[in-house]
mmCIF file of all heavy atoms in Angstrom:
data_model
loop_
_atom_site.group_PDB
_atom_site.id
_atom_site.type_symbol
_atom_site.label_atom_id
_atom_site.label_comp_id
_atom_site.label_asym_id
_atom_site.label_seq_id
_atom_site.Cartn_x
_atom_site.Cartn_y
_atom_site.Cartn_z
ATOM 1 N N MET A 30 10.890 23.840 -26.729
ATOM 2 C CA MET A 30 10.541 24.699 -27.867
ATOM 3 C C MET A 30 11.223 24.235 -29.148
ATOM 4 O O MET A 30 10.611 24.129 -30.200
ATOM 5 C CB MET A 30 10.932 26.151 -27.564
ATOM 6 C CG MET A 30 9.925 26.848 -26.666
ATOM 7 S SD MET A 30 10.701 28.088 -25.619
ATOM 8 C CE MET A 30 10.503 29.553 -26.580
ATOM 9 N N GLY A 34 9.417 22.681 -32.809
ATOM 10 C CA GLY A 34 9.251 23.683 -33.820
ATOM 11 C C GLY A 34 10.067 23.508 -35.061
ATOM 12 O O GLY A 34 9.553 23.274 -36.155
ATOM 13 N N ILE A 35 11.347 23.577 -34.871
ATOM 14 C CA ILE A 35 12.178 23.989 -35.977
ATOM 15 C C ILE A 35 12.314 22.916 -37.038
ATOM 16 O O ILE A 35 12.421 23.208 -38.211
ATOM 17 C CB ILE A 35 13.544 24.434 -35.414
ATOM 18 C CG1 ILE A 35 14.312 25.203 -36.445
ATOM 19 C CG2 ILE A 35 14.285 23.284 -34.844
ATOM 20 C CD1 ILE A 35 13.781 26.560 -36.668
ATOM 21 N N LEU A 38 8.464 22.595 -38.736
ATOM 22 C CA LEU A 38 7.657 23.792 -39.001
ATOM 23 C C LEU A 38 8.273 24.680 -40.073
ATOM 24 O O LEU A 38 7.556 25.352 -40.802
ATOM 25 C CB LEU A 38 7.460 24.595 -37.717
ATOM 26 C CG LEU A 38 6.442 23.980 -36.751
ATOM 27 C CD1 LEU A 38 6.392 24.785 -35.474
ATOM 28 C CD2 LEU A 38 5.060 23.907 -37.373
ATOM 29 N N THR A 39 9.600 24.667 -40.163
ATOM 30 C CA THR A 39 10.261 25.516 -41.167
ATOM 31 C C THR A 39 9.651 25.278 -42.542
ATOM 32 O O THR A 39 9.271 26.219 -43.242
ATOM 33 C CB THR A 39 11.772 25.195 -41.194
ATOM 34 O OG1 THR A 39 12.242 25.223 -39.857
ATOM 35 C CG2 THR A 39 12.531 26.215 -42.001
ATOM 36 N N GLN A 41 6.737 23.701 -43.268
ATOM 37 C CA GLN A 41 5.291 23.980 -43.303
ATOM 38 C C GLN A 41 5.046 25.481 -43.477
ATOM 39 O O GLN A 41 4.131 25.899 -44.172
ATOM 40 C CB GLN A 41 4.631 23.559 -41.984
ATOM 41 C CG GLN A 41 5.056 22.229 -41.466
ATOM 42 C CD GLN A 41 4.130 21.126 -41.891
ATOM 43 O OE1 GLN A 41 3.074 21.378 -42.430
ATOM 44 N NE2 GLN A 41 4.542 19.902 -41.672
ATOM 45 N N MET A 42 5.878 26.289 -42.806
ATOM 46 C CA MET A 42 5.675 27.738 -42.871
ATOM 47 C C MET A 42 6.091 28.281 -44.233
ATOM 48 O O MET A 42 5.457 29.192 -44.760
ATOM 49 C CB MET A 42 6.447 28.426 -41.738
ATOM 50 C CG MET A 42 5.797 28.178 -40.378
ATOM 51 S SD MET A 42 6.880 28.594 -39.009
ATOM 52 C CE MET A 42 6.891 30.379 -39.134
ATOM 53 N N LEU A 45 3.390 28.034 -46.700
ATOM 54 C CA LEU A 45 2.358 29.069 -46.625
ATOM 55 C C LEU A 45 2.875 30.442 -47.029
ATOM 56 O O LEU A 45 2.270 31.153 -47.818
ATOM 57 C CB LEU A 45 1.809 29.136 -45.189
ATOM 58 C CG LEU A 45 0.872 28.003 -44.779
ATOM 59 C CD1 LEU A 45 0.725 27.975 -43.268
ATOM 60 C CD2 LEU A 45 -0.486 28.174 -45.440
ATOM 61 N N PHE A 50 9.028 33.348 -44.924
ATOM 62 C CA PHE A 50 8.814 32.549 -43.712
ATOM 63 C C PHE A 50 9.687 32.924 -42.513
ATOM 64 O O PHE A 50 9.225 32.854 -41.380
ATOM 65 C CB PHE A 50 8.876 31.043 -44.022
ATOM 66 C CG PHE A 50 10.255 30.480 -44.175
ATOM 67 C CD1 PHE A 50 10.926 29.975 -43.078
ATOM 68 C CD2 PHE A 50 10.864 30.433 -45.420
ATOM 69 C CE1 PHE A 50 12.211 29.440 -43.217
ATOM 70 C CE2 PHE A 50 12.143 29.903 -45.566
ATOM 71 C CZ PHE A 50 12.819 29.411 -44.456
ATOM 72 N N ALA A 53 7.807 35.313 -40.634
ATOM 73 C CA ALA A 53 6.677 34.725 -39.910
ATOM 74 C C ALA A 53 7.141 34.215 -38.542
ATOM 75 O O ALA A 53 6.417 34.324 -37.550
ATOM 76 C CB ALA A 53 6.044 33.603 -40.732
ATOM 77 N N PHE A 54 8.369 33.659 -38.482
ATOM 78 C CA PHE A 54 8.927 33.254 -37.185
ATOM 79 C C PHE A 54 9.035 34.460 -36.251
ATOM 80 O O PHE A 54 8.689 34.386 -35.072
ATOM 81 C CB PHE A 54 10.328 32.654 -37.361
ATOM 82 C CG PHE A 54 10.326 31.152 -37.512
ATOM 83 C CD1 PHE A 54 10.911 30.558 -38.624
ATOM 84 C CD2 PHE A 54 9.756 30.340 -36.546
ATOM 85 C CE1 PHE A 54 10.920 29.158 -38.766
ATOM 86 C CE2 PHE A 54 9.761 28.954 -36.674
ATOM 87 C CZ PHE A 54 10.343 28.368 -37.787
ATOM 88 N N LEU A 55 9.511 35.578 -36.789
ATOM 89 C CA LEU A 55 9.647 36.787 -35.977
ATOM 90 C C LEU A 55 8.291 37.291 -35.510
ATOM 91 O O LEU A 55 8.119 37.678 -34.346
ATOM 92 C CB LEU A 55 10.352 37.883 -36.786
ATOM 93 C CG LEU A 55 11.876 37.846 -36.748
ATOM 94 C CD1 LEU A 55 12.457 38.945 -37.634
ATOM 95 C CD2 LEU A 55 12.375 38.045 -35.301
ATOM 96 N N ALA A 56 7.329 37.295 -36.431
ATOM 97 C CA ALA A 56 5.972 37.739 -36.065
ATOM 98 C C ALA A 56 5.417 36.852 -34.957
ATOM 99 O O ALA A 56 4.796 37.328 -34.002
ATOM 100 C CB ALA A 56 5.065 37.708 -37.295
ATOM 101 N N ALA A 57 5.657 35.536 -35.074
ATOM 102 C CA ALA A 57 5.182 34.605 -34.044
ATOM 103 C C ALA A 57 5.832 34.912 -32.706
ATOM 104 O O ALA A 57 5.182 34.874 -31.649
ATOM 105 C CB ALA A 57 5.486 33.164 -34.460
ATOM 106 N N ALA A 58 7.119 35.269 -32.741
ATOM 107 C CA ALA A 58 7.828 35.585 -31.502
ATOM 108 C C ALA A 58 7.213 36.798 -30.826
ATOM 109 O O ALA A 58 7.089 36.861 -29.595
ATOM 110 C CB ALA A 58 9.302 35.835 -31.798
ATOM 111 N N VAL A 60 4.039 37.817 -31.095
ATOM 112 C CA VAL A 60 2.756 37.398 -30.529
ATOM 113 C C VAL A 60 2.984 36.663 -29.203
ATOM 114 O O VAL A 60 2.317 36.927 -28.201
ATOM 115 C CB VAL A 60 2.004 36.474 -31.520
ATOM 116 C CG1 VAL A 60 0.752 35.902 -30.876
ATOM 117 C CG2 VAL A 60 1.641 37.250 -32.784
ATOM 118 N N VAL A 61 3.939 35.735 -29.211
ATOM 119 C CA VAL A 61 4.193 34.930 -28.019
ATOM 120 C C VAL A 61 4.722 35.791 -26.868
ATOM 121 O O VAL A 61 4.425 35.536 -25.698
ATOM 122 C CB VAL A 61 5.172 33.780 -28.351
ATOM 123 C CG1 VAL A 61 5.650 33.093 -27.086
ATOM 124 C CG2 VAL A 61 4.488 32.770 -29.252
ATOM 125 N N PHE A 205 0.366 34.580 -44.865
ATOM 126 C CA PHE A 205 1.418 35.002 -43.933
ATOM 127 C C PHE A 205 0.932 34.878 -42.482
ATOM 128 O O PHE A 205 1.650 34.404 -41.604
ATOM 129 C CB PHE A 205 1.864 36.441 -44.222
ATOM 130 C CG PHE A 205 3.014 36.874 -43.350
ATOM 131 C CD1 PHE A 205 4.305 36.444 -43.621
ATOM 132 C CD2 PHE A 205 2.798 37.697 -42.248
ATOM 133 C CE1 PHE A 205 5.374 36.821 -42.802
ATOM 134 C CE2 PHE A 205 3.864 38.072 -41.424
ATOM 135 C CZ PHE A 205 5.146 37.640 -41.705
ATOM 136 N N ILE A 206 -0.321 35.281 -42.245
ATOM 137 C CA ILE A 206 -0.885 35.176 -40.890
ATOM 138 C C ILE A 206 -0.985 33.705 -40.481
ATOM 139 O O ILE A 206 -0.670 33.337 -39.346
ATOM 140 C CB ILE A 206 -2.268 35.868 -40.829
ATOM 141 C CG1 ILE A 206 -2.077 37.389 -40.950
ATOM 142 C CG2 ILE A 206 -2.991 35.525 -39.534
ATOM 143 C CD1 ILE A 206 -3.365 38.170 -41.111
ATOM 144 N N ALA A 207 -1.381 32.846 -41.423
ATOM 145 C CA ALA A 207 -1.482 31.412 -41.115
ATOM 146 C C ALA A 207 -0.107 30.840 -40.776
ATOM 147 O O ALA A 207 0.042 30.026 -39.860
ATOM 148 C CB ALA A 207 -2.096 30.666 -42.296
ATOM 149 N N ALA A 208 0.923 31.286 -41.512
ATOM 150 C CA ALA A 208 2.284 30.820 -41.236
ATOM 151 C C ALA A 208 2.743 31.299 -39.858
ATOM 152 O O ALA A 208 3.398 30.563 -39.106
ATOM 153 C CB ALA A 208 3.246 31.329 -42.315
ATOM 154 N N THR A 209 2.357 32.532 -39.510
ATOM 155 C CA THR A 209 2.700 33.064 -38.188
ATOM 156 C C THR A 209 2.038 32.227 -37.094
ATOM 157 O O THR A 209 2.653 31.919 -36.068
ATOM 158 C CB THR A 209 2.247 34.531 -38.070
ATOM 159 O OG1 THR A 209 2.844 35.278 -39.137
ATOM 160 C CG2 THR A 209 2.666 35.134 -36.747
ATOM 161 N N ALA A 210 0.779 31.831 -37.328
ATOM 162 C CA ALA A 210 0.078 30.990 -36.355
ATOM 163 C C ALA A 210 0.850 29.693 -36.130
ATOM 164 O O ALA A 210 1.070 29.268 -34.993
ATOM 165 C CB ALA A 210 -1.340 30.698 -36.837
ATOM 166 N N LEU A 211 1.301 29.066 -37.234
ATOM 167 C CA LEU A 211 2.101 27.839 -37.091
ATOM 168 C C LEU A 211 3.389 28.133 -36.323
ATOM 169 O O LEU A 211 3.845 27.317 -35.517
ATOM 170 C CB LEU A 211 2.464 27.276 -38.460
ATOM 171 C CG LEU A 211 1.430 26.393 -39.142
ATOM 172 C CD1 LEU A 211 1.997 25.855 -40.445
ATOM 173 C CD2 LEU A 211 1.009 25.239 -38.232
ATOM 174 N N GLY A 212 3.971 29.321 -36.586
ATOM 175 C CA GLY A 212 5.203 29.695 -35.900
ATOM 176 C C GLY A 212 5.028 29.728 -34.390
ATOM 177 O O GLY A 212 5.961 29.435 -33.630
ATOM 178 N N VAL A 213 3.816 30.050 -33.929
ATOM 179 C CA VAL A 213 3.554 30.087 -32.489
ATOM 180 C C VAL A 213 3.827 28.712 -31.869
ATOM 181 O O VAL A 213 4.299 28.604 -30.736
ATOM 182 C CB VAL A 213 2.101 30.553 -32.220
ATOM 183 C CG1 VAL A 213 1.715 30.347 -30.761
ATOM 184 C CG2 VAL A 213 1.948 32.030 -32.601
ATOM 185 N N LEU A 214 3.553 27.644 -32.640
ATOM 186 C CA LEU A 214 3.818 26.296 -32.138
ATOM 187 C C LEU A 214 5.300 26.114 -31.799
ATOM 188 O O LEU A 214 5.657 25.312 -30.944
ATOM 189 C CB LEU A 214 3.445 25.244 -33.192
ATOM 190 C CG LEU A 214 1.976 24.878 -33.348
ATOM 191 C CD1 LEU A 214 1.834 23.800 -34.408
ATOM 192 C CD2 LEU A 214 1.386 24.402 -32.033
ATOM 193 N N ALA A 215 6.168 26.840 -32.514
ATOM 194 C CA ALA A 215 7.601 26.689 -32.281
ATOM 195 C C ALA A 215 8.016 27.361 -30.979
ATOM 196 O O ALA A 215 9.103 27.121 -30.473
ATOM 197 C CB ALA A 215 8.378 27.287 -33.451
ATOM 198 N N PHE A 216 7.141 28.211 -30.435
ATOM 199 C CA PHE A 216 7.485 28.925 -29.193
ATOM 200 C C PHE A 216 6.656 28.479 -28.000
ATOM 201 O O PHE A 216 6.975 28.810 -26.876
ATOM 202 C CB PHE A 216 7.284 30.432 -29.379
ATOM 203 C CG PHE A 216 8.273 31.064 -30.318
ATOM 204 C CD1 PHE A 216 7.932 31.326 -31.636
ATOM 205 C CD2 PHE A 216 9.549 31.406 -29.884
ATOM 206 C CE1 PHE A 216 8.842 31.913 -32.508
ATOM 207 C CE2 PHE A 216 10.461 31.985 -30.743
ATOM 208 C CZ PHE A 216 10.117 32.243 -32.061
ATOM 209 N N LYS A 217 5.551 27.761 -28.249
ATOM 210 C CA LYS A 217 4.622 27.547 -27.143
ATOM 211 C C LYS A 217 5.227 26.680 -26.036
ATOM 212 O O LYS A 217 4.680 26.578 -24.951
ATOM 213 C CB LYS A 217 3.303 26.966 -27.640
ATOM 214 C CG LYS A 217 3.254 25.463 -27.815
ATOM 215 C CD LYS A 217 1.858 25.046 -28.209
ATOM 216 C CE LYS A 217 1.674 23.552 -28.261
ATOM 217 N NZ LYS A 217 1.541 22.864 -26.988
ATOM 218 N N GLY A 218 6.404 26.093 -26.292
ATOM 219 C CA GLY A 218 7.075 25.317 -25.262
ATOM 220 C C GLY A 218 7.379 26.095 -23.987
ATOM 221 O O GLY A 218 7.593 25.504 -22.933
ATOM 222 N N TYR A 251 16.144 30.373 -34.254
ATOM 223 C CA TYR A 251 15.250 30.192 -35.411
ATOM 224 C C TYR A 251 15.640 31.096 -36.570
ATOM 225 O O TYR A 251 15.529 30.720 -37.731
ATOM 226 C CB TYR A 251 13.790 30.464 -35.024
ATOM 227 C CG TYR A 251 13.201 29.446 -34.083
ATOM 228 C CD1 TYR A 251 12.018 29.695 -33.393
ATOM 229 C CD2 TYR A 251 13.827 28.214 -33.878
ATOM 230 C CE1 TYR A 251 11.476 28.757 -32.533
ATOM 231 C CE2 TYR A 251 13.292 27.282 -33.012
ATOM 232 C CZ TYR A 251 12.117 27.554 -32.341
ATOM 233 O OH TYR A 251 11.575 26.631 -31.477
ATOM 234 N N ALA A 359 -0.111 19.641 -37.029
ATOM 235 C CA ALA A 359 0.241 21.009 -36.629
ATOM 236 C C ALA A 359 -0.998 21.901 -36.621
ATOM 237 O O ALA A 359 -1.189 22.723 -35.721
ATOM 238 C CB ALA A 359 1.294 21.570 -37.578
ATOM 239 N N ILE A 363 -2.436 24.008 -33.325
ATOM 240 C CA ILE A 363 -2.444 25.461 -33.191
ATOM 241 C C ILE A 363 -3.861 25.983 -32.924
ATOM 242 O O ILE A 363 -4.059 26.919 -32.152
ATOM 243 C CB ILE A 363 -1.794 26.169 -34.409
ATOM 244 C CG1 ILE A 363 -1.500 27.634 -34.059
ATOM 245 C CG2 ILE A 363 -2.621 26.072 -35.661
ATOM 246 C CD1 ILE A 363 -0.606 27.832 -32.869
ATOM 247 N N LEU A 402 -4.680 35.648 -35.555
ATOM 248 C CA LEU A 402 -3.998 34.453 -36.049
ATOM 249 C C LEU A 402 -4.991 33.329 -36.305
ATOM 250 O O LEU A 402 -4.923 32.639 -37.320
ATOM 251 C CB LEU A 402 -2.941 33.975 -35.042
ATOM 252 C CG LEU A 402 -1.713 34.851 -34.830
ATOM 253 C CD1 LEU A 402 -0.677 34.114 -34.004
ATOM 254 C CD2 LEU A 402 -1.101 35.286 -36.157
ATOM 255 N N PHE A 406 -5.715 31.692 -39.852
ATOM 256 C CA PHE A 406 -5.383 30.281 -40.014
ATOM 257 C C PHE A 406 -6.595 29.488 -40.492
ATOM 258 O O PHE A 406 -6.510 28.670 -41.408
ATOM 259 C CB PHE A 406 -4.859 29.708 -38.695
ATOM 260 C CG PHE A 406 -4.247 28.353 -38.863
ATOM 261 C CD1 PHE A 406 -2.997 28.227 -39.453
ATOM 262 C CD2 PHE A 406 -4.914 27.208 -38.471
ATOM 263 C CE1 PHE A 406 -2.430 26.977 -39.644
ATOM 264 C CE2 PHE A 406 -4.351 25.961 -38.651
ATOM 265 C CZ PHE A 406 -3.103 25.849 -39.242
#
Side-chain angles (χ1 to χ4, degrees):
M30 281 149 94
I35 195 73
L38 285 176
T39 311
Q41 315 266 350
M42 288 165 71
L45 285 164
F50 79 90
F54 267 124
L55 274 178
V60 173
V61 169
F205 184 77
I206 290 171
T209 304
L211 276 184
V213 169
L214 281 182
F216 291 99
K217 84 176 186 77
Y251 292 165
I363 195 58
L402 292 190
F406 192 74

